[in-house]
Amino acid sequence: TTVVLAALLFFVAAVNLSVHRAYMYDENTRDQKSITTTNTNAIPKSTAAAASNIMAPRNSAQNAAKSEISLLNIKGPSSSHPIAGLDCSPHGGPADSNDAAEMVFWEDIPTDSKYKSPFLRDDRPQYLTFEPDHGGWNNIRMAMETVLVMAHAMGRILVLPPEKKMYLLGKDAGKHKTEFTFNDFFHLDSIAVEHEGFNVITTEEFLKREGVTGNLKNIKTGEILKPPGNAVDWNGKELAPLERYLRTVGVLPQGWNPDECVCAVPTSSDPKHVAELQEIFDDIMQGKYGPVPDNDKDYDGKPTPVDAPVADRLREMLGGRKKLCIYDETLQNAPLIHMSVQHGADSRSRLLTHFYAFLFFQSFMDDLYYKRFVRDHVRYIDEIVCAAARVVTALRERVRGIGDNPDGIYDSMHVRRGDFQYKKTRIPAEEIYDRSKNELADSKTIFIATDERDKTFFEPLRQHYTLFFLDDFMDQIK
């Protein structure tokens, strides 16, 4: 819908010229003879044996379970999408495929689809439910990415929350859809089909399977609990009763606060790996690997190699945090883990963080895999990406008519104004110019992605630059 595109398009369009092609892992890197010591994720043939758990195919029982968890459980706009491609022809263009290709930052690595978590069980399904963040869209998106990686890494079926209103995405109610689930934005159904180790279902399907059938129990008392009112369809409804229910029947990881701890995922379910992680962490905190590092000084320009020993990678990852939250045997055996954002609770796990700043993998190859997984698959649906491509195409055409600029080159700036609660974050336009002028020379053309409705705010910038906004291209997204 138009409201969704308007809310998200600024993000896609603003960053299209500065895509960071990190975590490269293609056919060429697989043929290298030795592990590089720089910050890349090349995995050469010499480590193929160690990587066997990453590429191992699923057995017949797991394939049968995969067939049961099918696309039919999720209804959305991307029901049969090959994620590696981008076809804008069904979405209004742009007509030139090169214009669409400019938006593509993801890679197609077919062997990655064979990955399965060592925690994926054959005997019974395990689930991960979660409550979406209560903040704005980017907070919601970050938390979702973290939960998605957790579910995949833990071998759990990800249960998508019901459709609900999202903060700042409710404009023009009555004209557009204002209740969303994550499949409205991402190709989650296609990811589940293309990846053997990732499964996703709706809350409704989960409650039909496990809730009304009496398979869920009060974690403390063992009493069988069915969903409130035996309801399974919670789309568009008040979710507080459902969330209280899930907090009662699911295991809530204690203390998993990204500000205080790092979540560590062992190499396997072997108890020795949990013990190894705990021992390494204890040794770090006791100074056996040297003083606790200052991340602002010790790693600036000197990142730890991606294939460094566990202790070296963990020292950098801690970043001043004093706790290690390990996915241990108790959590590994829990049928249902629920991630709550309940305020004031020890079990609150507001995942207001990037997944790569919270999740630590004992295996560096797992760490690199999940960075590729998010880069290459957790992207916006084609309808949104293609709308951004149309805006960029139209913008370039306008910019070509300004001075000697045959390639339509422009710069981008993201200015957040309307979703902050603290006035000190709302700096004046004059200060924005002072902070930017050393990077952006006068007379440049700048696309400003912003939620500021009063564009006269940017007049001090207009004195130095030619400015464009999404408002100038609304005809491209309708």
Side-chain angles (χ1 to χ4, degrees), residues 328-345:
D328 58 19
E329 295 94 327
T330 299
L331 292 174
Q332 292 170 22
N333 290 322
L336 171 63
I337 288 179
H338 180 69
M339 305 303 294
S340 168
V341 294
Q342 183 179 15
H343 292 278

Side-chain angles (χ1 to χ4, degrees), residues 77-326:
S78 52
S79 58
S80 61
H81 184 274
I83 301 176
L86 177 62
D87 182 7
C88 288
S89 57
H91 306 292
D96 190 333
S97 60
N98 291 325
D99 293 330
E102 183 180 7
M103 308 305 297
V104 176
F105 58 84
W106 51 89
E107 301 289 333
D108 182 17
I109 306 172
T111 50
D112 274 2
S113 66
K114 301 298 182 182
Y115 172 84
K116 65 171 185 175
S117 167
F119 301 102
L120 185 61
R121 300 181 62 141
D122 296 331
D123 55 340
R124 60 182 172 88
Q126 294 178 293
Y127 301 92
L128 179 65
T129 54
F130 70 103
E131 300 167 22
D133 192 84
H134 295 166
W137 169 249
N138 275 316
N139 293 348
I140 296 170
R141 177 191 55 80
M142 285 195 304
M144 184 279 297
E145 286 183 354
T146 301
V147 171
L148 186 151
V149 172
M150 288 171 59
H152 194 309
M154 297 173 181
R156 293 179 174 273
I157 299 171
L158 179 64
V159 180
L160 293 183
E163 291 186 356
K164 60 170 290 185
K165 295 183 184 299
M166 293 185 179
Y167 180 55
L168 297 178
L169 292 184
K171 183 181 178 181
D172 294 334
K175 297 181 180 179
H176 307 289
K177 181 176 181 178
T178 57
E179 295 173 346
F180 305 99
T181 186
F182 289 105
N183 211 51
D184 289 316
F185 303 98
F186 301 101
H187 296 290
L188 298 183
D189 50 1
S190 295
I191 300 174
V193 169
E194 295 185 15
H195 278 255
E196 296 182 6
F198 178 65
N199 297 317
V200 57
I201 61 175
T202 62
T203 294
E204 182 175 359
E205 177 66 20
F206 169 67
L207 294 176
K208 287 179 179 178
R209 290 185 187 184
E210 308 292 349
V212 296
T213 55
N215 291 333
L216 300 179
K217 299 178 181 180
N218 186 310
I219 291 298
K220 295 181 179 179
T221 67
E223 174 190 3
I224 293 176
L225 291 180
K226 295 187 177 182
N230 237 20
V232 295
D233 182 3
W234 289 82
N235 291 321
K237 299 178 182 178
E238 170 58 46
L239 296 182
L242 175 65
E243 291 173 347
R244 288 193 294 268
Y245 171 72
L246 293 173
R247 294 169 191 164
T248 303
V249 298
V251 172
L252 281 65
Q254 299 296 304
W256 282 31
N257 183 339
D259 293 333
E260 300 174 357
C261 86
V262 167
C263 173
V265 181
T267 300
S268 76
S269 57
D270 189 328
K272 72 177 184 181
H273 289 129
V274 172
E276 288 171 358
L277 279 169
Q278 187 63 56
E279 181 180 5
I280 291 172
F281 172 75
D282 292 340
D283 288 346
I284 290 173
M285 301 310 294
Q286 293 169 13
K288 292 186 178 181
Y289 292 95
V292 176
D294 182 336
N295 282 42
D296 292 334
K297 298 178 181 179
D298 295 340
Y299 298 109
D300 187 11
K302 299 175 291 183
T304 300
V306 296
D307 59 340
V310 174
D312 292 345
R313 292 189 294 112
L314 183 55
R315 289 179 80 235
E316 181 182 30
M317 181 73 169
L318 285 169
R321 289 170 284 192
K322 307 296 184 183
K323 293 172 56 180
L324 191 68
C325 301
I326 303 178

Side-chain angles (χ1 to χ4, degrees), residues 380-399:
Y380 289 126
I381 59 174
D382 286 3
E383 182 180 2
I384 295 175
V385 178
C386 292
R390 293 195 300 274
V391 170
V392 171
T393 300
L395 174 59
R396 286 199 184 284
E397 191 62 31
R398 297 272 292 271
V399 174

Side-chain angles (χ1 to χ4, degrees), residues 366-383:
D366 289 348
D367 175 67
L368 298 174
Y369 170 82
Y370 283 108
K371 288 170 180 173
R372 295 195 307 274
F373 177 76
V374 173
R375 179 199 65 186
D376 295 343
H377 299 94
V378 188
R379 67 171 183 84
Y380 289 126
I381 59 174
D382 286 3
E383 182 180 2

